[in-house]
Amino acid sequence: MRLIFIMPLAALALSACSLTPPLVKPAAPIPASYGEVAAPGMADTAADLGWRQMLLDARLQRLVDIALKNNRDLRVASLNVEAVRAQYQIQDAGRYPAIGANAGGVRQRGADAVTQNQFTAGIAMSAFEIDLFGRLRSLSDAAFARYLATQQGQRAARMTLIGAVADAYLEQRLAEEQLALARQTLADWRHALVLTQRLHGAQQGSGLDVAQAEGQAATAEADVQARERASALARNNLELLLGAPLPADLPAGRPLDGQPVLTQLPPGLPSDLLARRPDILQAEYALVAANAEIGAARAAFFPRLSLTASLGLASPELGDLFRGSARSWSFAPQVTQPLFQGGQLRAELQLSRLRKDVAVLQYEQAIQTAFRDVRDGLAGSATYAQQIDAQQRVVVAAQQRQRLSQLRYDAGQDSRLELLDAQRQSYAAQQTLLDVRRDQFKSSVALYKALGGGLVE
């Protein structure tokens, strides 16, 4: 009985050697700063900002809540984490002996016409590899690192989902506001068409004026249909992300000019990305796993020592099975040394080294991509406010031109064509302003994700 338990414990004590090379992470291939200056008094980073503080619209907050509970992609990511965790537990279990109890009996008759009985009971340890050179430990470390990488993948999926819901919501708000503007414009231009037709009937206007007014009204009608389609598509996309239909009791949403998303974000330092971005951490754990697999491939060149043992009772009579004379035991160590495998072990070692080289490049690429995402977001943050201010002046000027052109047309000083051009310019300027507002908020959401935000409630 002591042999069954003492020998595996002694073997575990001996298995302290590891052939895994020390992991040296490459230097971050990015500058020490973003080239942008953070706003005064903002010592924290956007990653410390909860997404409820970032997404100011109560309707949008409710939608994100629903998506986090129902989105199928996020649920798949969660299940993948549990699956990889189970794989790690299976791999790690190979480092320990498997001991089981057994009992049985055999009754047989041989050529001599003699019937014999044999009853057995005991415990046995299946072939257990003593991890002298750390092969099993390296495989277990690699599996654990991949489990941690999958955890980070789930966190990245959560961030991506929050950003996707915010983007889809902004697209829906844009479609709805542009649709409302198109409908109002259509009503105005239809009214103008009626007046033009009346003037033509009274011999105070030409047929050209009527044709121009009809074309303008038809253009507005076509635009309304396009905006209705965009609104329906935006709603469908939002419901797909939510994993459920839009509830009827959603709170009222903010308009685009009502600041539904925070736009001033503290960027922090580039080094923060390495500790906060889940995709970078995922690539780092993948690098750790690839490095550990090199150790396992190295250890495969060395001898493997395995043990098989059993302790039990055996007797031809069931009544004598538990007497002292019925004891039986076996202890079978075995050493296996690879001699010739056609270059398989060398190829596996080379493959593990190549996979590590790939993991290094993927880790560096993840860092560079994150840095670029932040720089892109900061560029948007630095320019959208000025662009919106300029576009607002364009709208004011276009509306002023339209008003004056209407007065001049009524006074007979401008042609119908001049008035139509002024109306189209005013309408286009207002639609563009809505587009730019949407783009500003989407850029802010992208910067928030790029800085590692979206994990804090």
Side-chain angles (χ1 to χ4, degrees):
M1 178 68 74
R2 292 179 180 177
L3 288 175
I4 296 295
F5 294 101
I6 294 177
M7 291 305 298
L9 294 177
L12 289 174
L14 291 173
S15 59
C17 178
S18 176
L19 298 179
T20 301
L23 178 62
V24 179
K25 292 190 295 184
I30 55 176
S33 67
Y34 297 116
E36 303 284 348
V37 179
M42 290 186 175
D44 297 331
T45 66
D48 299 319
L49 189 68
W51 60 261
R52 293 185 185 275
Q53 298 170 277
M54 173 68 189
L55 309 177
L56 305 177
D57 191 324
R59 186 183 184 93
L60 176 54
Q61 292 178 359
R62 174 78 182 282
L63 294 175
V64 171
D65 267 332
I66 296 172
L68 291 177
K69 296 175 183 176
N70 296 292
N71 182 266
R72 300 306 189 270
D73 288 337
L74 188 59
R75 289 165 67 177
V76 168
S78 300
L79 293 175
N80 284 338
V81 171
E82 295 303 317
V84 177
R85 180 182 179 182
Q87 290 175 345
Y88 158 66
Q89 291 174 334
I90 293 172
Q91 182 65 59
D92 191 59
R95 300 171 53 205
Y96 305 97
I99 300 175
N102 59 77
V106 177
R107 180 179 177 84
Q108 62 183 5
R109 181 175 181 177
D112 54 1
V114 177
T115 301
Q116 297 179 340
N117 299 324
Q118 183 70 18
F119 300 96
T120 60
I123 58 175
M125 181 183 72
S126 59
F128 164 61
E129 180 180 342
I130 300 177
D131 199 18
L132 293 176
F133 300 98
R135 188 184 72 88
L136 298 178
R137 177 60 182 270
S138 296
L139 292 175
S140 177
D141 290 344
F144 183 65
R146 297 200 183 282
Y147 161 62
L148 296 179
T150 310
Q151 276 190 325
Q152 297 301 323
Q154 180 196 24
R155 297 174 73 222
R158 175 186 171 91
M159 287 173 49
T160 300
L161 176 61
I162 292 173
V165 171
D167 287 347
Y169 175 73
L170 292 170
E171 289 291 347
Q172 186 189 39
R173 295 300 303 166
L174 173 69
E176 290 175 349
E177 294 190 26
Q178 287 186 329
L179 176 59
L181 177 60
R183 284 173 174 170
Q184 181 60 49
T185 301
L186 175 60
D188 293 342
W189 290 357
R190 279 178 172 172
H191 179 68
L193 172 60
V194 172
L195 293 178
T196 304
Q197 290 172 335
R198 288 177 180 176
L199 290 173
H200 178 62
Q203 304 297 320
Q204 296 182 8
S206 67
L208 178 60
D209 290 343
V210 174
Q212 290 172 341
E214 287 176 344
Q216 186 181 42
T219 299
E221 185 176 350
D223 198 31
V224 166
Q225 297 301 317
R227 304 299 178 182
E228 287 181 346
R229 180 173 63 252
S231 179
L233 294 178
R235 180 186 179 93
N236 294 341
N237 184 41
L238 188 56
E239 289 186 342
L240 176 63
L241 292 171
L242 297 186
L246 288 178
D249 60 345
L250 287 173
R254 295 188 183 187
L256 290 178
D257 61 357
Q259 193 75 5
V261 175
L262 190 65
T263 56
Q264 295 299 319
L265 297 175
L269 298 174
S271 58
D272 295 334
L273 297 179
L274 276 64
R276 296 181 181 273
R277 285 265 303 217
D279 55 343
I280 294 179
L281 295 175
Q282 184 179 14
E284 181 178 339
Y285 285 126
L287 175 58
V288 172
N291 188 69
E293 288 172 347
I294 293 178
R298 283 179 171 178
F301 285 88
F302 293 88
R304 295 186 189 179
L305 174 61
S306 60
L307 298 176
T308 302
S310 65
L311 176 65
L313 303 169
S315 174
E317 298 295 336
L318 184 60
D320 297 333
L321 183 61
F322 296 98
R323 294 183 178 179
S325 59
R327 289 181 181 177
S328 65
W329 60 271
S330 68
F331 177 71
Q334 182 178 359
V335 177
T336 303
Q337 169 63 54
L339 296 178
F340 176 77
Q341 295 188 354
Q344 178 182 345
L345 296 181
R346 291 188 180 278
E348 289 177 348
L349 178 58
Q350 178 66 13
L351 178 60
S352 64
R353 287 171 173 166
L354 291 173
R355 285 175 175 169
K356 179 187 175 182
D357 292 340
V358 171
V360 169
L361 294 176
Q362 290 174 336
Y363 175 66
E364 292 177 335
Q365 186 178 31
I367 295 174
Q368 291 176 332
T369 300
F371 186 80
R372 184 209 60 190
D373 291 344
V374 174
R375 292 288 295 272
D376 289 347
L378 291 175
S381 178
T383 56
Y384 271 116
Q386 291 85 345
Q387 183 181 0
I388 288 175
D389 181 68
Q391 188 61 37
Q392 285 176 327
R393 296 198 303 271
V394 171
V395 170
V396 171
Q399 289 175 335
Q400 177 70 356
R401 180 197 172 192
Q402 178 183 347
R403 186 180 66 82
L404 295 176
S405 182
Q406 183 70 53
L407 293 175
R408 290 175 61 84
Y409 174 76
D410 294 341
Q413 297 179 357
D414 272 351
S415 66
R416 178 70 184 176
L417 184 60
E418 176 67 22
L419 175 60
L420 293 179
D421 184 65
Q423 290 173 337
R424 284 194 295 263
Q425 185 184 49
S426 176
Y427 175 64
Q430 293 177 73
Q431 295 283 21
T432 300
L433 178 59
L434 292 174
D435 283 331
V436 177
R437 288 190 187 279
R438 182 275 317 271
D439 291 343
Q440 180 193 33
F441 294 129
K442 291 184 70 172
S443 176
S444 298
V445 171
L447 176 59
Y448 182 58
K449 291 193 306 179
L451 293 169
L455 299 176
V456 182
E457 180 77 9

